[in-house]
Amino acid sequence: MTVNPDYLVLFFTTTSGASGDQLGSDEKEIVQLVWQVVDLATKKVNELLVKPDHIELSEECQEVSGLTEEALTEAEPLEEAIEQLNQRLCAEVDTGAGSTFYLCTDGQLHIRQVLHPEASSKNILLPECFFSFFDLRKEFKKKFPSEGELKDLNLQVMADCILKRHVEYDLLCIFCHQFSFPEKVNDKFETGTCSKMERVDDNTVIRARGLPWQSSDQDIARFFRGLNIAKGGAALCLNAQGRRNGEALVRFESEEHRDLALQRHKHHMGTRYIEVYKATGEDFLKIAGGTSNEVAKFLSRENQVIVRMRGLPFTATIEQVLQFFSPACPVTDDSEGILFVRFPDGRPTGDAFVLFSCEEHAQNALKKHKDILGKRYIELFKSTAAEVQQVLNRYSSAPLIPVAPSPILSVVPPPTFMPPTAAVTGVRDCVRLRGLPYDATIQDILVFLGEYTADIKPHGVHMVLNLQGRPSGDAFIQMRSADRAFLAAQHCHKRSMKERYVEVFACSAQEMNIVLMGGTLNRSGLSPPPCKLRRLSPPSYTFPHGTAVLPSAAIYPSQFLLSPRPLAPTTTFYPASNPLYMNYTTYYPSPPGSPPNISYFPTGHTPSAGSVLSAPPTALIRMQGHAPSHAYNSGIKEILSMVHGYQVNLDAVVGLSNRTA
């Protein structure tokens, strides 16, 4: 496209922060607008000072522009300054007589990284002239293609080049060539579909993290205002439960715009800062790519607002959905504007997507959030084309019957990485607190323990954090002795802290260390910290060829283990080349018995000869509180069914009567 403007207007901006190649990267506000209508006769330079919301100039800004904070206090805010600039430009070039003009800037930053983002954040409607401009550096490169790289050009370099070529020292000399293909700034984001077969350039995609959960693709486009996002190029990511996880993949029209987007790392969307990183075209296609003709037809209607319905009754029909939204918010094309999400076998998932012709109808529809359809309340969310693709792809690829991993079939000696049993169990001289308020501090814990605070070792209070680095509600306390730890657990168990009761248990230092390193300690047993690398087993152990592992020893004393059930022959269901998926709890089985240092019978109690209590401790377990649904009437048969598969001596099953009477 070739254009012949009557005038060219040189345009520059100044922010209160960085300048040069970092202009706009620090999200600082505009403090100065400078322009010059190209006229060889007058060479008049105009400027307008802009009053930012927060007057705070950096040293670099004061040095480069010569501005002071006092001078800005009398200036006009950005919206009024832009209006004045537009009026004065129109008068100077006499647009009333049909004259046209184009803005020219030194690079892309003044328009794309400064003016448009700030105008968007302040809800300022920019005049049409700011959506089309010429980049002086690119125009210079067209005139002198052999003069350096585009990224290294600036006004001084271009002026020096002109002098070397014995041309009049005036940048206006480069305007003698024909101007063509001005830079365009998209005024709105266009939704669309993307096929999985489409080729996406890796250098045009970024990943944005930290988005508010209610943000839409239009909010993402607004965050990157000034940069051109490809049609349908904003894809919100979903987690395993189908909910938004605060991430999005964005595809831009060119690598240049992608690089400018990376400079907006940690800029703000509302009160949250957004992290921006490089991504690949494959990442984008995994989220936004689709293969379904039904989805493509549904999304082929352009300029439609998509609303997602979640929690629909499985018997819901199109007529019920239309009636749910009518008459305040009519659905586009009636039944053609509704897409039910189904499993591959045709069963409904409870999700659906609905099209509305305008934002007003969509907002009215969202007001019905949690209204009742049938006997269920319906959740409504503003959605995107990429989200439709993700949800349909996820359900269409879901297996009808989940496949469980192969059972562990052979037994080998305990791996070398397992510590000795006694060393792992250790002395229970620590205390575990569970159920703490999330805002609890070490001082709160000391007050909670009361008289037992004097028994805490120096630096012996350890708060447990979750994977996000936040308090998990657990803490471990190192005590001076096992006796004091036991007494603290007995006296402080279920005491209240900030209107919450806290559970207190005695434990060993080894168990504490495993949890603090990332392992788990719960009712299902003690599991080691997860492997940080992509391995199938802990680092120091290698599986024998063609076999699986089930160690015959555990981290708890042998007297609390039952005899193992007979195992199948040492064959495998999978070929040796297939990966073997292991559960870490295999290495650390849960103790079915009771803690080793708690006595259940009075001191001095000696079982009679031949009784079950005189049997070796390796064969004894205690089942406390079993059969709660029919207490006190469980028989031998019910107990045997609970330990089915283990080698149990039938004569050794004893029921204890209640001795509290």
Side-chain angles (χ1 to χ4, degrees):
M1 180 182 67
T2 301
V3 296
N4 296 295
D6 298 305
Y7 294 90
L8 292 174
V9 179
L10 300 177
F11 179 76
F12 301 91
T13 62
T14 305
T15 69
S16 61
S19 60
D21 292 340
Q22 298 300 315
L23 182 68
S25 62
D26 52 6
E27 209 177 6
K28 295 296 184 180
E29 296 179 89
I30 296 174
V31 295
Q32 186 182 38
L33 301 175
V34 180
W35 74 95
Q36 178 185 4
V37 178
V38 176
D39 189 340
L40 294 176
T42 61
K43 298 183 180 180
K44 178 183 178 182
V45 177
N46 305 274
E47 72 170 319
L48 276 175
L49 297 183
V50 180
K51 182 180 180 180
D53 293 341
H54 306 284
I55 302 178
E56 185 179 352
L57 302 182
S58 66
E59 294 182 0
E60 181 181 0
C61 173
Q62 296 180 15
E63 180 180 351
V64 172
S65 65
L67 297 176
T68 62
E69 296 182 357
E70 292 75 13
L72 297 179
T73 56
E74 303 297 329
E76 300 291 343
L78 180 61
E79 184 173 12
E80 297 181 14
I82 290 176
E83 185 178 354
Q84 289 184 29
L85 184 154
N86 188 47
Q87 292 176 354
R88 292 167 62 175
L89 267 179
C90 292
E92 192 168 356
V93 302
D94 195 13
T95 56
S99 300
T100 60
F101 68 92
Y102 272 89
L103 297 180
C104 294
T105 64
D106 176 24
Q108 305 274 315
L109 303 181
H110 298 279
I111 296 292
R112 296 193 185 276
Q113 290 288 72
V114 177
L115 186 62
H116 276 277
E118 185 170 339
S120 176
S121 65
K122 294 182 177 180
N123 296 318
I124 299 175
L125 185 63
L126 291 174
E128 186 179 354
C129 63
F130 292 104
F131 289 87
S132 182
F133 68 98
F134 286 105
D135 184 347
L136 286 179
R137 301 184 184 187
K138 291 184 178 180
E139 298 302 320
F140 182 87
K141 191 67 176 175
K142 292 177 184 178
K143 186 71 175 180
F144 307 113
S146 61
E147 292 297 329
E149 296 293 333
L150 184 64
K151 62 180 181 177
D152 299 326
L153 294 179
N154 55 42
L155 290 177
Q156 187 62 46
V157 172
M158 291 187 288
D160 293 342
C161 175
I162 294 173
L163 280 177
K164 290 178 182 179
R165 291 176 177 270
H166 306 288
V167 184
E168 180 185 1
Y169 181 57
D170 197 322
L171 286 179
L172 303 181
C173 70
I174 71 170
F175 299 148
C176 62
H177 80 286
Q178 187 68 45
F179 281 86
S180 59
F181 299 103
E183 297 284 329
K184 294 291 185 180
V185 180
N186 293 343
D187 58 345
K188 65 177 181 179
F189 169 68
E190 296 184 30
T191 60
T193 59
C194 177
S195 171
K196 282 190 177 295
M197 305 304 296
E198 185 175 343
R199 183 177 179 181
V200 179
D201 187 358
D202 290 343
N203 295 323
T204 61
V205 183
I206 61 94
R207 181 184 297 273
R209 297 177 56 187
L211 298 168
W213 67 268
Q214 72 274 24
S215 58
S216 65
D217 53 356
Q218 296 294 339
D219 296 322
I220 296 172
R222 183 173 181 176
F223 176 80
F224 290 107
R225 188 65 179 270
L227 309 178
N228 294 345
I229 300 176
K231 184 176 181 179
L236 293 163
C237 302
L238 307 179
N239 60 18
Q241 290 73 39
R243 302 177 185 271
R244 296 175 186 174
N245 62 2
E247 295 189 8
L249 290 165
V250 186
R251 176 188 179 190
F252 293 92
E253 291 183 351
S254 66
E255 181 180 356
E256 180 183 28
H257 289 204
R258 191 283 307 267
D259 292 340
L260 293 176
L262 292 173
Q263 294 185 14
R264 300 196 187 182
H265 179 60
K266 291 195 174 181
H267 284 203
H268 287 76
M269 179 185 289
T271 58
R272 302 190 62 170
Y273 71 84
I274 308 301
E275 300 175 356
V276 183
Y277 304 99
K278 290 182 180 180
T280 65
E282 183 181 359
D283 294 334
F284 183 82
L285 289 177
K286 286 180 180 178
I287 300 300
T291 56
S292 172
N293 293 329
E294 182 184 13
V295 177
K297 181 180 178 181
F298 177 77
L299 298 175
S300 63
R301 303 170 181 83
E302 297 185 357
N303 301 322
Q304 300 292 310
V305 184
I306 307 174
V307 171
R308 180 181 180 183
M309 305 180 71
R310 193 165 61 194
L312 285 167
F314 294 146
T315 58
T317 63
I318 291 178
E319 290 72 20
Q320 289 178 315
V321 174
L322 292 174
Q323 186 178 1
F324 179 79
F325 288 112
S326 64
C329 33
V331 177
T332 300
D333 297 336
D334 294 332
S335 60
E336 297 295 325
I338 301 174
L339 176 66
F340 285 102
V341 183
R342 302 182 183 277
F343 288 106
D345 60 353
R347 292 179 295 115
T349 64
D351 281 28
F353 293 94
V354 184
L355 296 178
F356 295 95
S357 59
C358 63
E359 189 69 30
E360 180 182 359
H361 289 169
Q363 292 300 326
N364 290 335
L366 292 174
K367 293 178 182 178
K368 295 180 176 289
H369 180 60
K370 292 194 175 182
D371 281 4
I372 302 297
L373 192 157
K375 295 183 179 180
R376 302 190 64 177
Y377 72 85
I378 309 301
E379 296 179 307
L380 300 176
F381 307 94
K382 197 171 181 180
S383 187
T384 66
E387 185 172 352
V388 176
Q389 296 281 21
Q390 285 183 82
V391 174
L392 266 294
N393 290 345
R394 175 167 298 166
Y395 283 113
S396 62
S397 61
L400 298 181
I401 302 176
V403 180
S406 170
I408 299 172
L409 298 176
S410 61
V411 178
V412 298
T416 57
F417 71 88
M418 289 187 60
T421 300
V424 174
T425 305
V427 180
R428 292 179 175 268
D429 58 351
C430 297
V431 171
R432 180 190 182 191
L433 306 183
R434 187 170 65 187
L436 292 168
Y438 292 137
D439 59 347
T441 63
I442 292 180
Q443 185 62 35
D444 295 328
I445 293 176
L446 298 179
V447 174
F448 173 80
L449 293 176
E451 61 181 296
Y452 299 100
T453 301
D455 300 309
I456 300 177
K457 292 183 179 180
H459 308 290
V461 181
H462 308 279
M463 308 292 286
V464 181
L465 305 180
N466 59 20
L467 295 177
Q468 290 73 37
R470 299 174 181 172
S472 65
D474 283 24
F476 285 91
I477 315 294
Q478 291 178 282
M479 308 296 287
R480 294 188 182 277
S481 66
D483 293 337
R484 299 303 292 176
F486 174 76
L487 291 175
Q490 292 291 316
H491 289 85
C492 298
H493 185 56
K494 291 195 175 182
R495 278 188 184 176
S496 294
M497 179 190 296
K498 296 183 178 180
E499 299 182 354
R500 295 192 62 176
Y501 75 85
V502 179
E503 297 176 306
V504 185
F505 310 96
C507 66
S508 68
Q510 286 74 22
E511 293 170 340
M512 177 190 72
N513 290 335
I514 289 178
V515 174
L516 293 179
M517 291 173 61
T520 58
L521 177 62
N522 48 42
R523 293 180 180 178
S524 61
L526 180 64
S527 301
C531 284
K532 299 299 183 183
L533 301 179
R534 295 181 178 179
R535 296 174 177 171
L536 300 179
S537 62
S540 61
Y541 182 75
T542 303
F543 286 108
H545 179 71
T547 61
V549 179
L550 178 63
S552 57
I555 62 171
Y556 288 88
S558 59
Q559 62 263 32
F560 296 103
L561 288 178
L562 295 170
S563 300
R565 67 183 71 185
L567 298 176
T570 56
T571 58
T572 57
F573 290 114
Y574 298 111
S577 59
N578 286 1
L580 178 63
Y581 297 94
M582 301 295 295
N583 187 342
Y584 278 118
T585 56
T586 302
Y587 298 104
Y588 296 88
S590 171
S594 306
N597 64 340
I598 300 180
S599 176
Y600 297 102
F601 299 98
T603 304
H605 175 79
T606 303
S608 59
S611 70
V612 69
L613 298 181
S614 64
T618 55
L620 175 65
I621 65 168
R622 180 173 187 252
M623 303 173 65
Q624 183 178 7
H626 66 280
S629 60
H630 44 87
Y632 307 118
N633 60 357
S634 297
I636 300 287
K637 185 181 296 184
E638 286 80 3
I639 296 175
L640 291 177
S641 66
M642 297 178 66
V643 293
H644 177 70
Y646 292 91
Q647 299 173 3
V648 181
N649 185 356
L650 299 181
D651 298 329
V653 180
V654 177
L656 301 181
S657 60
N658 189 349
R659 299 187 178 185
T660 59

